[in-house]
């Protein structure tokens, strides 16, 4: 009899756990830094709409009750906003939950799942947890090489993940390219387009040109799943709410593997309130655009190259192993994200913060790089 580790499912045995950004409290415990800024998890620096606190307070007297497992009200609100029927929506405990539901509904240990190099860490995680084979396709200019990903699809491929824009690179695919990619997928492949940052990337003024809303293609492609989240532009990362838009058939299948009460009552109420406050959403997107401009101007001043990003974060090449720079930044009270695990050992991913936070980050980066 060996160790209990040997009893683990083969895919799980070799799995590296997801590395979250360092919490502020942990930095205080480690180094006694109490006025730190956290630009490590692509969180919204404005926080959620003030209407959220009110909505959550109203839920408090009902906490003994199970949440509405069908998410009727939130689905109704989303349905109106997105102009899709509620049967096309699947709610999740964050969109990570929805990504996993999609994989569990469709992928078995015999199947292959295709995703890009430097792509979001959750794709290999959910793939390998099922025991399926992940096929990582080399990136092109840091972004998804859609032509190469198409070539990587075989008879065994059951799912393809496309992050648009991608995290941690911030790269995006344009409408014509992505639509051609979806159209070229064989019928036995489910295409998941992860649009966690679509509110930023698709914004008419502050977004990037040619950014598609893949949900528009659902009527044409029944094998398409589009995922979104309330964690980023809506500032609700702590409450965990995301959703998928798909054909009703796909939603029905994902619903079969869903935990009955996967989204809690506070999260349901908060998401509904956040969705209604479009002014707050707009404000956050404008703050992000200003902050992105300030950060990238700072990188240019320091002579650092960065990957242009359509999200609320940007990956900068610090020209040396970034783990050591990350550690030194912690001593200056600035938490960013090393992305060596994504195959980018010289990059740091920096989330866009408020003006003072961005400035503090650039100043600390300048000092750390000068001292090295
Ligand atoms: C942040 C992020 C998500 C969403 O995570 P949640 O589980 O909704 O908090 C999904 N995809 C990508 C690419 C992300 O960066």
């Amino acid at each position: 009899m060996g160790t209990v580790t040997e009893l683990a499912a083969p895919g799980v045995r070799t799995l590296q756990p997801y590395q979250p950004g360092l919490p502020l409290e942990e930095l205080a415990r480690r180094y006694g830094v109490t006025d730190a800024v956290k630009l490590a998890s692509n969180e919204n620096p404005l926080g959620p709409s003030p209407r959220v606190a009110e909505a959550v307070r109203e839920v408090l007297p009902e906490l003994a009750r199970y949440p509405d497992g069908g998410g009727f009200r939130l689905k109704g609100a989303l349905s109106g906003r997105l102009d899709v029927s509620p049967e096309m929506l699947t709610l999740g405990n964050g969109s990570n939950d929805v990504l996993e539901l999609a994989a569990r509904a469709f992928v078995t240990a015999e199947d292959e799942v295709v995703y890009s190099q430097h792509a979001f860490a959750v794709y290999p995680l959910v793939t390998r947890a099922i025991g399926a084979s992940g096929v990582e396709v080399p990136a092109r200019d840091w972004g998804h090489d859609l032509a190469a990903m198409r070539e990587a699809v075989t008879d065994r491929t059951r799912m393809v993940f496309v992050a648009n824009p991608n995290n941690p690179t911030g790269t995006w695919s344009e409408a014509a390219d992505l639509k051609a990619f979806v159209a070229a997928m064989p019928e036995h492949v489910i295409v998941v387009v992860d649009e966690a940052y679509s509110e930023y990337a698709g914004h008419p003024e502050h977004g990037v040109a040619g950014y598609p809303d893949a949900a528009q293609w659902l009527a044409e492609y029944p094998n398409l799943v589009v995922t979104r989240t309330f964690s980023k532009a809506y500032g609700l990362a702590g409450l965990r709410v995301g959703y998928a838009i798909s054909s009703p058939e796909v939603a029905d299948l994902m619903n079969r593997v869903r935990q009955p009460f996967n989204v809690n009552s506070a999260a349901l109420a908060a998401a509904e309130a956040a969705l209604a406050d479009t002014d707050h959403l707009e404000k956050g997107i404008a703050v992000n655009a200003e902050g992105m401009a300030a950060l990238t101007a700072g990188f240019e001043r320091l002579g650092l190259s960065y990957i242009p990003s359509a999200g609320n974060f940007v990956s900068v090449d610090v020209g040396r192993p970034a783990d050591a720079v990350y550690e030194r930044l912690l001593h200056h009270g600035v938490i960013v994200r090393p992305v060596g695990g994504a195959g980018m050992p010289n990059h740091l991913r920096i989330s866009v913060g408020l003006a003072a936070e961005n400035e503090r980050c650039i100043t600390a980066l300048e000092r750390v790089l000068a001292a090295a």
Side-chain angles (χ1 to χ4, degrees), residues 108-129:
T108 72
E110 279 70 52
D111 299 325
E112 291 174 352
V113 176
V114 172
Y115 41 80
S116 175
Q117 182 189 20
H118 313 308
F120 187 45
V122 167
Y123 312 149
L125 253 175
V126 300
T127 299
R128 291 166 66 189

mmCIF file with all atom_site columns, all heavy atoms in Angstrom, residues 108-129:
data_model
loop_
_atom_site.group_PDB
_atom_site.id
_atom_site.type_symbol
_atom_site.label_atom_id
_atom_site.label_alt_id
_atom_site.label_comp_id
_atom_site.label_asym_id
_atom_site.label_entity_id
_atom_site.label_seq_id
_atom_site.pdbx_PDB_ins_code
_atom_site.Cartn_x
_atom_site.Cartn_y
_atom_site.Cartn_z
_atom_site.occupancy
_atom_site.B_iso_or_equiv
_atom_site.pdbx_formal_charge
_atom_site.auth_seq_id
_atom_site.auth_comp_id
_atom_site.auth_asym_id
_atom_site.auth_atom_id
_atom_site.pdbx_PDB_model_num
ATOM 1   N N   . THR A 1 108 ? -14.706 13.889 -21.371 1.00 0.00 ? 108 THR A N   1
ATOM 2   C CA  . THR A 1 108 ? -14.362 12.697 -20.583 1.00 0.00 ? 108 THR A CA  1
ATOM 3   C C   . THR A 1 108 ? -12.851 12.504 -20.611 1.00 0.00 ? 108 THR A C   1
ATOM 4   O O   . THR A 1 108 ? -12.134 13.205 -21.339 1.00 0.00 ? 108 THR A O   1
ATOM 5   C CB  . THR A 1 108 ? -15.014 11.424 -21.160 1.00 0.00 ? 108 THR A CB  1
ATOM 6   O OG1 . THR A 1 108 ? -14.350 11.092 -22.388 1.00 0.00 ? 108 THR A OG1 1
ATOM 7   C CG2 . THR A 1 108 ? -16.502 11.609 -21.401 1.00 0.00 ? 108 THR A CG2 1
ATOM 8   N N   . ALA A 1 109 ? -12.385 11.524 -19.857 1.00 0.00 ? 109 ALA A N   1
ATOM 9   C CA  . ALA A 1 109 ? -10.949 11.253 -19.753 1.00 0.00 ? 109 ALA A CA  1
ATOM 10  C C   . ALA A 1 109 ? -10.345 10.836 -21.098 1.00 0.00 ? 109 ALA A C   1
ATOM 11  O O   . ALA A 1 109 ? -9.144  10.919 -21.291 1.00 0.00 ? 109 ALA A O   1
ATOM 12  C CB  . ALA A 1 109 ? -10.698 10.180 -18.694 1.00 0.00 ? 109 ALA A CB  1
ATOM 13  N N   . GLU A 1 110 ? -11.184 10.397 -22.023 1.00 0.00 ? 110 GLU A N   1
ATOM 14  C CA  . GLU A 1 110 ? -10.680 9.966  -23.337 1.00 0.00 ? 110 GLU A CA  1
ATOM 15  C C   . GLU A 1 110 ? -10.454 11.153 -24.284 1.00 0.00 ? 110 GLU A C   1
ATOM 16  O O   . GLU A 1 110 ? -9.873  10.985 -25.357 1.00 0.00 ? 110 GLU A O   1
ATOM 17  C CB  . GLU A 1 110 ? -11.673 9.006  -24.018 1.00 0.00 ? 110 GLU A CB  1
ATOM 18  C CG  . GLU A 1 110 ? -11.583 7.573  -23.528 1.00 0.00 ? 110 GLU A CG  1
ATOM 19  C CD  . GLU A 1 110 ? -12.102 7.434  -22.113 1.00 0.00 ? 110 GLU A CD  1
ATOM 20  O OE1 . GLU A 1 110 ? -13.237 7.885  -21.847 1.00 0.00 ? 110 GLU A OE1 1
ATOM 21  O OE2 . GLU A 1 110 ? -11.362 6.906  -21.252 1.00 0.00 ? 110 GLU A OE2 1
ATOM 22  N N   . ASP A 1 111 ? -10.955 12.320 -23.914 1.00 0.00 ? 111 ASP A N   1
ATOM 23  C CA  . ASP A 1 111 ? -10.983 13.450 -24.850 1.00 0.00 ? 111 ASP A CA  1
ATOM 24  C C   . ASP A 1 111 ? -9.787  14.382 -24.713 1.00 0.00 ? 111 ASP A C   1
ATOM 25  O O   . ASP A 1 111 ? -9.080  14.391 -23.707 1.00 0.00 ? 111 ASP A O   1
ATOM 26  C CB  . ASP A 1 111 ? -12.258 14.279 -24.617 1.00 0.00 ? 111 ASP A CB  1
ATOM 27  C CG  . ASP A 1 111 ? -13.519 13.470 -24.847 1.00 0.00 ? 111 ASP A CG  1
ATOM 28  O OD1 . ASP A 1 111 ? -13.515 12.610 -25.743 1.00 0.00 ? 111 ASP A OD1 1
ATOM 29  O OD2 . ASP A 1 111 ? -14.507 13.695 -24.109 1.00 0.00 ? 111 ASP A OD2 1
ATOM 30  N N   . GLU A 1 112 ? -9.637  15.196 -25.753 1.00 0.00 ? 112 GLU A N   1
ATOM 31  C CA  . GLU A 1 112 ? -8.634  16.260 -25.736 1.00 0.00 ? 112 GLU A CA  1
ATOM 32  C C   . GLU A 1 112 ? -9.321  17.621 -25.640 1.00 0.00 ? 112 GLU A C   1
ATOM 33  O O   . GLU A 1 112 ? -10.407 17.821 -26.171 1.00 0.00 ? 112 GLU A O   1
ATOM 34  C CB  . GLU A 1 112 ? -7.810  16.249 -27.032 1.00 0.00 ? 112 GLU A CB  1
ATOM 35  C CG  . GLU A 1 112 ? -6.897  15.043 -27.143 1.00 0.00 ? 112 GLU A CG  1
ATOM 36  C CD  . GLU A 1 112 ? -6.185  14.958 -28.497 1.00 0.00 ? 112 GLU A CD  1
ATOM 37  O OE1 . GLU A 1 112 ? -6.497  15.749 -29.411 1.00 0.00 ? 112 GLU A OE1 1
ATOM 38  O OE2 . GLU A 1 112 ? -5.325  14.074 -28.630 1.00 0.00 ? 112 GLU A OE2 1
ATOM 39  N N   . VAL A 1 113 ? -8.639  18.525 -24.960 1.00 0.00 ? 113 VAL A N   1
ATOM 40  C CA  . VAL A 1 113 ? -9.119  19.903 -24.828 1.00 0.00 ? 113 VAL A CA  1
ATOM 41  C C   . VAL A 1 113 ? -8.003  20.820 -25.322 1.00 0.00 ? 113 VAL A C   1
ATOM 42  O O   . VAL A 1 113 ? -6.857  20.695 -24.879 1.00 0.00 ? 113 VAL A O   1
ATOM 43  C CB  . VAL A 1 113 ? -9.478  20.224 -23.363 1.00 0.00 ? 113 VAL A CB  1
ATOM 44  C CG1 . VAL A 1 113 ? -9.873  21.689 -23.205 1.00 0.00 ? 113 VAL A CG1 1
ATOM 45  C CG2 . VAL A 1 113 ? -10.603 19.307 -22.869 1.00 0.00 ? 113 VAL A CG2 1
ATOM 46  N N   . VAL A 1 114 ? -8.332  21.704 -26.231 1.00 0.00 ? 114 VAL A N   1
ATOM 47  C CA  . VAL A 1 114 ? -7.336  22.593 -26.849 1.00 0.00 ? 114 VAL A CA  1
ATOM 48  C C   . VAL A 1 114 ? -7.423  23.986 -26.224 1.00 0.00 ? 114 VAL A C   1
ATOM 49  O O   . VAL A 1 114 ? -8.521  24.528 -26.060 1.00 0.00 ? 114 VAL A O   1
ATOM 50  C CB  . VAL A 1 114 ? -7.565  22.672 -28.378 1.00 0.00 ? 114 VAL A CB  1
ATOM 51  C CG1 . VAL A 1 114 ? -6.677  23.749 -29.009 1.00 0.00 ? 114 VAL A CG1 1
ATOM 52  C CG2 . VAL A 1 114 ? -7.301  21.311 -29.034 1.00 0.00 ? 114 VAL A CG2 1
ATOM 53  N N   . TYR A 1 115 ? -6.270  24.523 -25.879 1.00 0.00 ? 115 TYR A N   1
ATOM 54  C CA  . TYR A 1 115 ? -6.184  25.918 -25.421 1.00 0.00 ? 115 TYR A CA  1
ATOM 55  C C   . TYR A 1 115 ? -4.805  26.448 -25.780 1.00 0.00 ? 115 TYR A C   1
ATOM 56  O O   . TYR A 1 115 ? -3.936  25.691 -26.224 1.00 0.00 ? 115 TYR A O   1
ATOM 57  C CB  . TYR A 1 115 ? -6.456  26.046 -23.909 1.00 0.00 ? 115 TYR A CB  1
ATOM 58  C CG  . TYR A 1 115 ? -5.823  24.972 -23.061 1.00 0.00 ? 115 TYR A CG  1
ATOM 59  C CD1 . TYR A 1 115 ? -4.486  25.032 -22.708 1.00 0.00 ? 115 TYR A CD1 1
ATOM 60  C CD2 . TYR A 1 115 ? -6.568  23.871 -22.622 1.00 0.00 ? 115 TYR A CD2 1
ATOM 61  C CE1 . TYR A 1 115 ? -3.909  24.032 -21.928 1.00 0.00 ? 115 TYR A CE1 1
ATOM 62  C CE2 . TYR A 1 115 ? -5.993  22.871 -21.856 1.00 0.00 ? 115 TYR A CE2 1
ATOM 63  C CZ  . TYR A 1 115 ? -4.660  22.965 -21.506 1.00 0.00 ? 115 TYR A CZ  1
ATOM 64  O OH  . TYR A 1 115 ? -4.089  21.974 -20.758 1.00 0.00 ? 115 TYR A OH  1
ATOM 65  N N   . SER A 1 116 ? -4.619  27.746 -25.589 1.00 0.00 ? 116 SER A N   1
ATOM 66  C CA  . SER A 1 116 ? -3.374  28.384 -26.016 1.00 0.00 ? 116 SER A CA  1
ATOM 67  C C   . SER A 1 116 ? -2.321  28.381 -24.906 1.00 0.00 ? 116 SER A C   1
ATOM 68  O O   . SER A 1 116 ? -2.643  28.363 -23.715 1.00 0.00 ? 116 SER A O   1
ATOM 69  C CB  . SER A 1 116 ? -3.665  29.828 -26.431 1.00 0.00 ? 116 SER A CB  1
ATOM 70  O OG  . SER A 1 116 ? -2.463  30.512 -26.747 1.00 0.00 ? 116 SER A OG  1
ATOM 71  N N   . GLN A 1 117 ? -1.072  28.447 -25.348 1.00 0.00 ? 117 GLN A N   1
ATOM 72  C CA  . GLN A 1 117 ? 0.022   28.768 -24.428 1.00 0.00 ? 117 GLN A CA  1
ATOM 73  C C   . GLN A 1 117 ? -0.264  30.142 -23.806 1.00 0.00 ? 117 GLN A C   1
ATOM 74  O O   . GLN A 1 117 ? -0.876  30.997 -24.452 1.00 0.00 ? 117 GLN A O   1
ATOM 75  C CB  . GLN A 1 117 ? 1.314   28.832 -25.251 1.00 0.00 ? 117 GLN A CB  1
ATOM 76  C CG  . GLN A 1 117 ? 2.561   29.114 -24.454 1.00 0.00 ? 117 GLN A CG  1
ATOM 77  C CD  . GLN A 1 117 ? 3.762   29.376 -25.372 1.00 0.00 ? 117 GLN A CD  1
ATOM 78  O OE1 . GLN A 1 117 ? 3.598   29.712 -26.554 1.00 0.00 ? 117 GLN A OE1 1
ATOM 79  N NE2 . GLN A 1 117 ? 4.953   29.221 -24.836 1.00 0.00 ? 117 GLN A NE2 1
ATOM 80  N N   . HIS A 1 118 ? 0.155   30.369 -22.592 1.00 0.00 ? 118 HIS A N   1
ATOM 81  C CA  . HIS A 1 118 ? -0.055  31.625 -21.838 1.00 0.00 ? 118 HIS A CA  1
ATOM 82  C C   . HIS A 1 118 ? -1.537  31.912 -21.594 1.00 0.00 ? 118 HIS A C   1
ATOM 83  O O   . HIS A 1 118 ? -1.902  33.063 -21.322 1.00 0.00 ? 118 HIS A O   1
ATOM 84  C CB  . HIS A 1 118 ? 0.525   32.858 -22.554 1.00 0.00 ? 118 HIS A CB  1
ATOM 85  C CG  . HIS A 1 118 ? 1.914   32.702 -23.085 1.00 0.00 ? 118 HIS A CG  1
ATOM 86  N ND1 . HIS A 1 118 ? 2.951   32.256 -22.316 1.00 0.00 ? 118 HIS A ND1 1
ATOM 87  C CD2 . HIS A 1 118 ? 2.433   32.955 -24.313 1.00 0.00 ? 118 HIS A CD2 1
ATOM 88  C CE1 . HIS A 1 118 ? 4.055   32.226 -23.056 1.00 0.00 ? 118 HIS A CE1 1
ATOM 89  N NE2 . HIS A 1 118 ? 3.761   32.643 -24.271 1.00 0.00 ? 118 HIS A NE2 1
ATOM 90  N N   . ALA A 1 119 ? -2.398  30.901 -21.730 1.00 0.00 ? 119 ALA A N   1
ATOM 91  C CA  . ALA A 1 119 ? -3.831  31.174 -21.543 1.00 0.00 ? 119 ALA A CA  1
ATOM 92  C C   . ALA A 1 119 ? -4.201  31.099 -20.063 1.00 0.00 ? 119 ALA A C   1
ATOM 93  O O   . ALA A 1 119 ? -3.381  30.746 -19.210 1.00 0.00 ? 119 ALA A O   1
ATOM 94  C CB  . ALA A 1 119 ? -4.678  30.200 -22.360 1.00 0.00 ? 119 ALA A CB  1
ATOM 95  N N   . PHE A 1 120 ? -5.424  31.440 -19.786 1.00 0.00 ? 120 PHE A N   1
ATOM 96  C CA  . PHE A 1 120 ? -5.940  31.467 -18.417 1.00 0.00 ? 120 PHE A CA  1
ATOM 97  C C   . PHE A 1 120 ? -5.721  30.107 -17.733 1.00 0.00 ? 120 PHE A C   1
ATOM 98  O O   . PHE A 1 120 ? -6.014  29.054 -18.303 1.00 0.00 ? 120 PHE A O   1
ATOM 99  C CB  . PHE A 1 120 ? -7.433  31.814 -18.476 1.00 0.00 ? 120 PHE A CB  1
ATOM 100 C CG  . PHE A 1 120 ? -8.075  32.044 -17.144 1.00 0.00 ? 120 PHE A CG  1
ATOM 101 C CD1 . PHE A 1 120 ? -7.476  32.818 -16.165 1.00 0.00 ? 120 PHE A CD1 1
ATOM 102 C CD2 . PHE A 1 120 ? -9.329  31.488 -16.877 1.00 0.00 ? 120 PHE A CD2 1
ATOM 103 C CE1 . PHE A 1 120 ? -8.092  33.034 -14.942 1.00 0.00 ? 120 PHE A CE1 1
ATOM 104 C CE2 . PHE A 1 120 ? -9.961  31.705 -15.658 1.00 0.00 ? 120 PHE A CE2 1
ATOM 105 C CZ  . PHE A 1 120 ? -9.343  32.480 -14.691 1.00 0.00 ? 120 PHE A CZ  1
ATOM 106 N N   . ALA A 1 121 ? -5.209  30.160 -16.499 1.00 0.00 ? 121 ALA A N   1
ATOM 107 C CA  . ALA A 1 121 ? -4.747  28.966 -15.791 1.00 0.00 ? 121 ALA A CA  1
ATOM 108 C C   . ALA A 1 121 ? -5.845  27.944 -15.508 1.00 0.00 ? 121 ALA A C   1
ATOM 109 O O   . ALA A 1 121 ? -5.558  26.763 -15.284 1.00 0.00 ? 121 ALA A O   1
ATOM 110 C CB  . ALA A 1 121 ? -4.107  29.397 -14.464 1.00 0.00 ? 121 ALA A CB  1
ATOM 111 N N   . VAL A 1 122 ? -7.085  28.405 -15.516 1.00 0.00 ? 122 VAL A N   1
ATOM 112 C CA  . VAL A 1 122 ? -8.180  27.502 -15.154 1.00 0.00 ? 122 VAL A CA  1
ATOM 113 C C   . VAL A 1 122 ? -8.459  26.455 -16.249 1.00 0.00 ? 122 VAL A C   1
ATOM 114 O O   . VAL A 1 122 ? -8.959  25.370 -15.952 1.00 0.00 ? 122 VAL A O   1
ATOM 115 C CB  . VAL A 1 122 ? -9.435  28.339 -14.792 1.00 0.00 ? 122 VAL A CB  1
ATOM 116 C CG1 . VAL A 1 122 ? -10.692 27.492 -14.721 1.00 0.00 ? 122 VAL A CG1 1
ATOM 117 C CG2 . VAL A 1 122 ? -9.200  29.048 -13.458 1.00 0.00 ? 122 VAL A CG2 1
ATOM 118 N N   . TYR A 1 123 ? -8.096  26.724 -17.514 1.00 0.00 ? 123 TYR A N   1
ATOM 119 C CA  . TYR A 1 123 ? -8.394  25.756 -18.588 1.00 0.00 ? 123 TYR A CA  1
ATOM 120 C C   . TYR A 1 123 ? -7.647  24.434 -18.385 1.00 0.00 ? 123 TYR A C   1
ATOM 121 O O   . TYR A 1 123 ? -8.271  23.372 -18.403 1.00 0.00 ? 123 TYR A O   1
ATOM 122 C CB  . TYR A 1 123 ? -8.130  26.339 -19.984 1.00 0.00 ? 123 TYR A CB  1
ATOM 123 C CG  . TYR A 1 123 ? -8.716  27.717 -20.216 1.00 0.00 ? 123 TYR A CG  1
ATOM 124 C CD1 . TYR A 1 123 ? -8.093  28.625 -21.064 1.00 0.00 ? 123 TYR A CD1 1
ATOM 125 C CD2 . TYR A 1 123 ? -9.894  28.114 -19.588 1.00 0.00 ? 123 TYR A CD2 1
ATOM 126 C CE1 . TYR A 1 123 ? -8.625  29.898 -21.274 1.00 0.00 ? 123 TYR A CE1 1
ATOM 127 C CE2 . TYR A 1 123 ? -10.421 29.379 -19.796 1.00 0.00 ? 123 TYR A CE2 1
ATOM 128 C CZ  . TYR A 1 123 ? -9.777  30.270 -20.625 1.00 0.00 ? 123 TYR A CZ  1
ATOM 129 O OH  . TYR A 1 123 ? -10.299 31.516 -20.824 1.00 0.00 ? 123 TYR A OH  1
ATOM 130 N N   . PRO A 1 124 ? -6.315  24.477 -18.188 1.00 0.00 ? 124 PRO A N   1
ATOM 131 C CA  . PRO A 1 124 ? -5.640  23.207 -17.905 1.00 0.00 ? 124 PRO A CA  1
ATOM 132 C C   . PRO A 1 124 ? -6.121  22.562 -16.603 1.00 0.00 ? 124 PRO A C   1
ATOM 133 O O   . PRO A 1 124 ? -6.197  21.334 -16.504 1.00 0.00 ? 124 PRO A O   1
ATOM 134 C CB  . PRO A 1 124 ? -4.150  23.573 -17.831 1.00 0.00 ? 124 PRO A CB  1
ATOM 135 C CG  . PRO A 1 124 ? -4.065  25.052 -17.853 1.00 0.00 ? 124 PRO A CG  1
ATOM 136 C CD  . PRO A 1 124 ? -5.346  25.575 -18.407 1.00 0.00 ? 124 PRO A CD  1
ATOM 137 N N   . LEU A 1 125 ? -6.464  23.405 -15.630 1.00 0.00 ? 125 LEU A N   1
ATOM 138 C CA  . LEU A 1 125 ? -6.935  22.863 -14.345 1.00 0.00 ? 125 LEU A CA  1
ATOM 139 C C   . LEU A 1 125 ? -8.193  22.015 -14.512 1.00 0.00 ? 125 LEU A C   1
ATOM 140 O O   . LEU A 1 125 ? -8.257  20.863 -14.058 1.00 0.00 ? 125 LEU A O   1
ATOM 141 C CB  . LEU A 1 125 ? -7.251  24.024 -13.395 1.00 0.00 ? 125 LEU A CB  1
ATOM 142 C CG  . LEU A 1 125 ? -6.292  24.276 -12.254 1.00 0.00 ? 125 LEU A CG  1
ATOM 143 C CD1 . LEU A 1 125 ? -6.692  25.528 -11.481 1.00 0.00 ? 125 LEU A CD1 1
ATOM 144 C CD2 . LEU A 1 125 ? -6.257  23.086 -11.320 1.00 0.00 ? 125 LEU A CD2 1
ATOM 145 N N   . VAL A 1 126 ? -9.205  22.575 -15.157 1.00 0.00 ? 126 VAL A N   1
ATOM 146 C CA  . VAL A 1 126 ? -10.465 21.829 -15.277 1.00 0.00 ? 126 VAL A CA  1
ATOM 147 C C   . VAL A 1 126 ? -10.289 20.632 -16.208 1.00 0.00 ? 126 VAL A C   1
ATOM 148 O O   . VAL A 1 126 ? -10.885 19.579 -16.008 1.00 0.00 ? 126 VAL A O   1
ATOM 149 C CB  . VAL A 1 126 ? -11.664 22.704 -15.741 1.00 0.00 ? 126 VAL A CB  1
ATOM 150 C CG1 . VAL A 1 126 ? -11.922 23.832 -14.760 1.00 0.00 ? 126 VAL A CG1 1
ATOM 151 C CG2 . VAL A 1 126 ? -11.489 23.251 -17.137 1.00 0.00 ? 126 VAL A CG2 1
ATOM 152 N N   . THR A 1 127 ? -9.426  20.772 -17.205 1.00 0.00 ? 127 THR A N   1
ATOM 153 C CA  . THR A 1 127 ? -9.172  19.678 -18.148 1.00 0.00 ? 127 THR A CA  1
ATOM 154 C C   . THR A 1 127 ? -8.552  18.492 -17.432 1.00 0.00 ? 127 THR A C   1
ATOM 155 O O   . THR A 1 127 ? -9.012  17.344 -17.536 1.00 0.00 ? 127 THR A O   1
ATOM 156 C CB  . THR A 1 127 ? -8.208  20.156 -19.260 1.00 0.00 ? 127 THR A CB  1
ATOM 157 O OG1 . THR A 1 127 ? -8.816  21.240 -19.960 1.00 0.00 ? 127 THR A OG1 1
ATOM 158 C CG2 . THR A 1 127 ? -7.884  19.034 -20.232 1.00 0.00 ? 127 THR A CG2 1
ATOM 159 N N   . ARG A 1 128 ? -7.515  18.783 -16.664 1.00 0.00 ? 128 ARG A N   1
ATOM 160 C CA  . ARG A 1 128 ? -6.767  17.690 -16.044 1.00 0.00 ? 128 ARG A CA  1
ATOM 161 C C   . ARG A 1 128 ? -7.508  17.101 -14.854 1.00 0.00 ? 128 ARG A C   1
ATOM 162 O O   . ARG A 1 128 ? -7.333  15.926 -14.520 1.00 0.00 ? 128 ARG A O   1
ATOM 163 C CB  . ARG A 1 128 ? -5.374  18.164 -15.708 1.00 0.00 ? 128 ARG A CB  1
ATOM 164 C CG  . ARG A 1 128 ? -4.593  18.389 -17.026 1.00 0.00 ? 128 ARG A CG  1
ATOM 165 C CD  . ARG A 1 128 ? -3.341  19.162 -16.825 1.00 0.00 ? 128 ARG A CD  1
ATOM 166 N NE  . ARG A 1 128 ? -2.380  18.418 -16.027 1.00 0.00 ? 128 ARG A NE  1
ATOM 167 C CZ  . ARG A 1 128 ? -1.261  18.938 -15.562 1.00 0.00 ? 128 ARG A CZ  1
ATOM 168 N NH1 . ARG A 1 128 ? -0.972  20.201 -15.815 1.00 0.00 ? 128 ARG A NH1 1
ATOM 169 N NH2 . ARG A 1 128 ? -0.444  18.212 -14.859 1.00 0.00 ? 128 ARG A NH2 1
ATOM 170 N N   . ALA A 1 129 ? -8.344  17.897 -14.205 1.00 0.00 ? 129 ALA A N   1
ATOM 171 C CA  . ALA A 1 129 ? -9.133  17.362 -13.094 1.00 0.00 ? 129 ALA A CA  1
ATOM 172 C C   . ALA A 1 129 ? -10.065 16.256 -13.586 1.00 0.00 ? 129 ALA A C   1
ATOM 173 O O   . ALA A 1 129 ? -10.374 15.316 -12.857 1.00 0.00 ? 129 ALA A O   1
ATOM 174 C CB  . ALA A 1 129 ? -9.931  18.481 -12.431 1.00 0.00 ? 129 ALA A CB  1
#
